[in-house]
Amino acid sequence: MHSYSDEPIPHPPIAVPLLRAQHLSKRFGGVHAVNRAAISVPQGSITGLIGPNGAGKTTLFQLLSCFLQPDEGEVWFDGHPIHTLQPHQVATRGLVRTFQVARALSRLSVLDNMLLAAQRQTGEQFWNVWLRSHQVAQEERQQRERAWELLERVGLAAKAQDYAGSLSGGQRKLLELARSLMVNPKLILLDEPAAGVNPTLINQICDHILTWNRQGITFLIIEHNMDVIMSLCDRVWVMAEGRNLADGTPAEIQQNDQVLAAYLGQ
Amino acid sequence: MEGFIVSLVIFTAIFTIFGLGLNLQWGFTGLINFGHVAFMTVGAYGTVLLSMAGVPLGLAMLAGAIAASLLGLGIGLATLRLREDYLAIVTIGLAEVIRLVAVNEEWLTRGTFGLQSFPLPLAMLNPNPIVRVAMVGTLAAVVGLAYWRLWGWMRHTARAIPRSDLVTHSLTALGYLLALGLLLLGIGAGARTLRQAAIWPNGVLGMVLLSALLGALWLGKGLSDRLSRRFRAWSTSLGLVMAALLAVLGVYAFGYAASAVYRYSNPSKSGLLWLSVLLTALIFWGLETLVRSPWGRVLKAIREDEAVAKALGKNVFIYKLQALMMGGFLAGIAGSLYAWQLTTVYPDNFRSLVTFNAWTIVVLGGAGSNVGTLLGATVFWAYDTITRFVLRDIVPLDDARLGAFRIMVIGLILIVLMMWRPQGILGNKDELTLGR
């Protein structure tokens, strides 16, 4: 159990953090969206990130996935600093993010959405389409097989040939989840996977996350649904007004007065 | 008639290539390029100037196209990191800048005097019968391949119509189209007679003609709506019959083209015809392969949502650059062919209107469809050449105003299309109504 009333920020004792960020700051004009925040995600864990609206959780996500450049601070992933990289380079290294509002590529088929996510495809290089057409076709067959497997797992196989834009909101969440799996990631950043989804589907999504976690994928999850956080997460980080407020096990966080105060707005 | 068909085919081929370039940029990647003619200008001037300096034509064409794609690289580097509207604005400006350079750098381009009597491809050729047969043979192979694909599509589409209804459906569609055609012909003939008789003042005649056309349009639309309520697969059968009619017209045009190539009586045109059809086929096939490849999938993903493509590890900037350069390359090739077809090059050939012709072609055919672009170019040039000769007798306007009138009608056709078929002739309606 840790509280951050005083700076400098002490490092929590954690074995082999897969993702580690410290002193992260991002200002938009006069607003300190993220203010010297830190986070650490152990290898193989499901880590939660909670906080009231406007706490800077999504901005922190943008910083971690390099969609935004931090004003100060650094992000380390898998033993390398990544805060100077472009977003696509981060994905290639095995860190993939999803979006708060599920983003399907509407005018691509569900299957194409999946295939797009595969990394290091030979056929994505202009010249290889011509010079290595055989290898491209072969890879495409393999990826297709993998995509079908994942689609079947999340129950979207019947929709594989439909436009992704014709899916319902819940199905899009599932597609986005399956699509991030296609990347073969080490770490997935999930931005509110249960928002706007019916309870049955929430359970399904949680089951998928647990299954994939057992297969070795690490998760960092922003979520407002406390049941989801409490049932899934090994460790929870709390943010408020751009700063770290606390971190600990779900049980510890539930007892923390500061956290309760922040959520109740005192 | 032969010369007419030959020039129609060449123009269609050139603008198919030109439109395919824009379609790759806008239809597949979502890049808004309002200065497509700039690439064409660079291609045309590059090729012509190099060939006048003694560079072989093939090499000159390649160099012109590469110069055009490098122009694409330059614009891309300058604007692609900014928000997407910047590209649209910069490309408009660039097209004008390039044209003004062509007007003012007289030491290089001879300014408004233009460039004449430059080498034309295959013009010096005096082919023996074997070569002629081979040339006609390649043309036939290309056309045959296209027809084979068309036939496959028609058979596939016809499955949507119940077998027992196929005959009644297609006969009704044929009758409908013939009736509409006859009605339009009748209006044209009537207007021509009235114009020659000169009993009515021009203003009155114009109004009568306009209301007759609107009436015909309204009648056609009303009848089509009625039929679509009666026949379940009305629009499908209408599409099939139109495709069949177009195929018949295609055979007719092919006959003229083949005879022109075989006789080789007008070498510069015959050679260009052969070359441009072949290049169009080659480019078309290449693009179809590309957009179906993983490379094309990334382009489409960028069109849909850049952020997702980035999150999934795609270097969006590089792909946009590639699309811009590839589109520029194609426009450069179209530019060389355009210069050879016109046989003279003036800066005025490359006004912004040419860009908007390409946009018309792509929108008409349906964005994101290469076949659509081919069809759009065909319809556009058929319209352009036919009205050039026919309207003079019918519409009571002098030549200068007639030119403006023809462009106005294209605008009108586009407006009507957007109201009734916003996805374009071959676009997919479902794609427009998908939730984001």
Side-chain angles (χ1 to χ4, degrees):
Chain A
M1 179 72 214
H2 236 104
S3 278
Y4 297 96
S5 28
D6 310 304
E7 300 205 45
I9 301 157
H11 290 269
I14 280 169
V16 209
L18 180 62
L19 179 75
R20 181 167 59 88
Q22 49 193 0
H23 307 305
L24 271 186
S25 291
K26 184 71 190 176
R27 274 179 297 271
F28 298 113
V31 183
H32 260 85
V34 172
N35 194 356
R36 298 182 69 75
I39 195 161
S40 173
V41 180
Q43 176 97 45
S45 71
I46 301 180
T47 303
L49 176 60
I50 63 171
N53 287 321
K57 304 184 295 293
T58 297
T59 308
L60 182 63
F61 253 39
Q62 309 256 45
L63 293 172
L64 294 178
S65 58
C66 297
F67 271 67
L68 288 174
Q69 297 283 324
D71 295 331
E72 60 172 323
E74 48 191 38
V75 184
W76 287 64
F77 175 68
D78 206 14
H80 300 280
I82 58 166
H83 48 275
T84 50
L85 299 183
Q86 295 288 316
H88 67 265
Q89 295 172 309
V90 176
T92 322
R93 285 167 188 237
L95 191 163
V96 60
R97 67 169 292 198
T98 65
F99 295 88
Q100 198 163 1
V101 177
R103 290 188 175 183
L105 303 166
S106 295
R107 288 184 289 172
L108 259 60
S109 72
V110 170
L111 187 62
D112 273 346
N113 264 268
M114 296 290 288
L115 292 174
L116 178 79
Q119 296 300 302
R120 298 201 173 82
Q121 298 181 53
T122 312
E124 285 184 349
Q125 307 296 319
F126 181 84
W127 294 112
N128 286 347
V129 175
W130 310 104
L131 301 179
R132 300 192 188 167
S133 53
H134 184 71
Q135 190 184 344
V136 171
Q138 200 180 344
E139 272 178 27
E140 194 77 350
R141 264 197 304 280
Q142 286 166 0
Q143 301 297 359
R144 201 170 287 243
E145 235 165 73
R146 217 159 76 77
W148 271 107
E149 241 166 66
L150 280 168
L151 284 176
E152 251 158 38
R153 184 104 55 90
V154 298
L156 285 176
K159 298 256 175 193
Q161 306 293 350
D162 294 1
Y163 283 119
S166 67
L167 297 181
S168 72
Q171 288 170 329
R172 284 179 201 211
K173 289 266 182 193
L174 284 172
L175 173 61
E176 199 168 33
L177 207 58
R179 198 172 59 190
S180 19
L181 255 293
M182 237 356 236
V183 177
N184 251 339
K186 297 190 180 91
L187 169 66
I188 301 182
L189 308 183
L190 292 177
D191 200 344
E192 300 198 23
V197 173
N198 72 55
T200 326
L201 196 53
I202 291 183
N203 286 336
Q204 270 185 39
I205 289 177
C206 288
D207 285 347
H208 290 313
I209 292 175
L210 282 173
T211 315
W212 285 321
N213 179 244
R214 259 181 249 124
Q215 292 170 2
I217 295 169
T218 310
F219 286 88
L220 173 61
I221 305 176
I222 294 181
E223 187 51 66
H224 282 299
N225 185 327
M226 281 306 143
D227 294 339
V228 171
I229 289 286
M230 295 305 152
S231 66
L232 284 181
C233 296
D234 312 320
R235 197 171 186 87
V236 179
W237 293 71
V238 189
M239 280 183 83
E241 289 164 9
R243 293 165 185 276
N244 290 92
L245 195 64
D247 77 88
T249 64
E252 287 170 343
I253 293 300
Q254 269 176 313
Q255 317 271 309
N256 188 309
D257 292 335
Q258 275 182 303
V259 174
L260 293 177
Y263 265 94
L264 296 174
Q266 281 164 3
Chain B
M1 190 64 189
E2 189 179 283
F4 172 77
I5 297 280
V6 165
S7 110
L8 177 62
V9 171
I10 294 176
F11 271 125
T12 305
I14 293 170
F15 273 78
T16 302
I17 296 175
F18 192 50
L20 284 173
L22 183 66
N23 193 32
L24 184 71
Q25 292 169 346
W26 180 60
F28 286 104
T29 321
L31 298 170
I32 299 179
N33 173 5
F34 282 139
H36 203 38
V37 74
F39 301 112
M40 185 185 236
T41 318
V42 170
Y45 270 100
T47 307
V48 168
L49 289 172
L50 283 176
S51 66
M52 285 171 92
V55 177
L57 279 175
L59 221 57
M61 183 185 212
L62 195 65
I66 288 175
S69 72
L70 288 180
L71 182 69
L73 178 70
I75 307 174
L77 288 176
T79 61
L80 281 183
R81 286 188 194 277
L82 305 170
R83 245 186 25 233
E84 47 205 64
D85 356 359
Y86 286 92
L87 181 67
I89 295 163
V90 168
T91 45
I92 296 183
L94 181 88
E96 273 305 284
V97 168
I98 297 275
R99 191 178 66 81
L100 288 174
V101 167
V103 171
N104 290 302
E105 295 302 313
E106 292 181 355
W107 60 274
L108 184 67
T109 63
R110 298 191 43 215
T112 47
F113 293 109
L115 298 166
Q116 294 91 9
S117 56
F118 43 80
L120 299 173
L122 306 176
M124 294 301 150
L125 197 68
N126 187 12
N128 59 35
I130 298 171
V131 174
R132 293 178 191 199
V133 168
M135 286 174 94
V136 173
T138 41
L139 269 194
V142 165
V143 173
L145 208 62
Y147 272 74
W148 187 64
R149 294 291 297 271
L150 181 70
W151 175 239
W153 174 81
M154 283 174 78
R155 271 181 32 176
H156 179 82
T157 313
R159 272 188 226 138
I161 309 170
R163 230 153 208 284
S164 50
D165 297 348
L166 199 58
V167 177
T168 39
H169 270 66
S170 32
L171 280 182
T172 318
L174 186 65
Y176 168 78
L177 286 175
L178 285 181
L180 208 62
L182 280 177
L183 185 62
L184 287 177
L185 277 182
I187 291 173
R192 189 166 148 191
T193 324
L194 282 173
R195 176 135 197 248
Q196 277 161 358
I199 4 177
W200 291 347
N202 279 346
V204 176
L205 184 56
M207 290 311 272
V208 169
L209 182 59
L210 206 63
S211 39
L213 277 178
L214 283 177
L217 208 64
W218 176 78
L219 204 69
K221 170 76 176 152
L223 198 59
S224 169
D225 283 349
R226 229 154 207 250
L227 286 166
S228 72
R229 273 198 293 277
R230 256 201 73 195
F231 297 138
R232 211 153 34 81
W234 171 246
S235 56
T236 314
S237 25
L238 202 62
L240 274 177
V241 171
M242 277 188 191
L245 286 178
L246 214 64
V248 173
L249 285 178
V251 170
Y252 182 71
F254 172 71
Y256 277 108
S259 113
V261 169
Y262 184 74
R263 289 194 293 111
Y264 225 80
S265 53
N266 187 354
S268 62
K269 288 285 177 260
S270 300
L272 186 60
L273 174 74
W274 183 77
L275 187 67
S276 51
V277 170
L278 222 62
L279 276 177
T280 308
L282 209 65
I283 287 168
F284 187 87
W285 170 80
L287 279 176
E288 279 289 288
T289 312
L290 274 175
V291 300
R292 281 163 213 277
S293 73
W295 186 80
R297 189 162 59 216
V298 178
L299 293 194
K300 288 181 229 169
I302 292 170
R303 174 191 70 191
E304 295 302 306
D305 194 327
E306 242 182 274
V308 172
K310 272 185 200 155
L312 295 176
K314 313 303 168 196
N315 191 345
V316 168
F317 181 65
I318 294 289
Y319 281 96
K320 283 181 166 181
L321 270 187
Q322 288 180 357
L324 259 187
M325 289 178 71
M326 187 70 205
F329 186 85
L330 295 182
I333 288 181
S336 318
L337 295 173
Y338 197 46
W340 291 335
Q341 162 69 356
L342 297 174
T343 66
T344 52
V345 171
Y346 300 101
D348 256 13
N349 296 138
F350 305 102
R351 291 194 165 276
S352 293
L353 185 62
V354 183
T355 299
F356 294 109
N357 289 347
W359 275 92
T360 308
I361 284 167
V362 173
V363 171
L364 206 63
S369 157
N370 288 330
V371 187
T373 303
L374 177 65
L375 188 66
T378 312
V379 170
F380 180 85
W381 279 99
Y383 165 86
D384 188 88
T385 31
I386 290 170
T387 51
R388 192 181 297 260
F389 298 107
V390 173
L391 281 190
R392 195 180 300 149
D393 297 334
I394 299 174
V395 179
L397 290 172
D398 57 56
D399 276 356
R401 287 182 190 171
L402 201 62
F405 177 76
R406 285 169 47 226
I407 297 168
M408 205 180 83
V409 171
I410 289 190
L412 206 66
I413 291 175
L414 274 181
I415 293 172
V416 172
L417 189 78
M418 286 300 109
M419 284 162 65
W420 286 340
R421 206 176 163 80
Q423 71 273 34
I425 302 174
L426 287 186
N428 189 342
K429 180 116 194 197
D430 294 341
E431 292 193 347
L432 290 180
T433 50
L434 290 173
R436 280 265 157 185

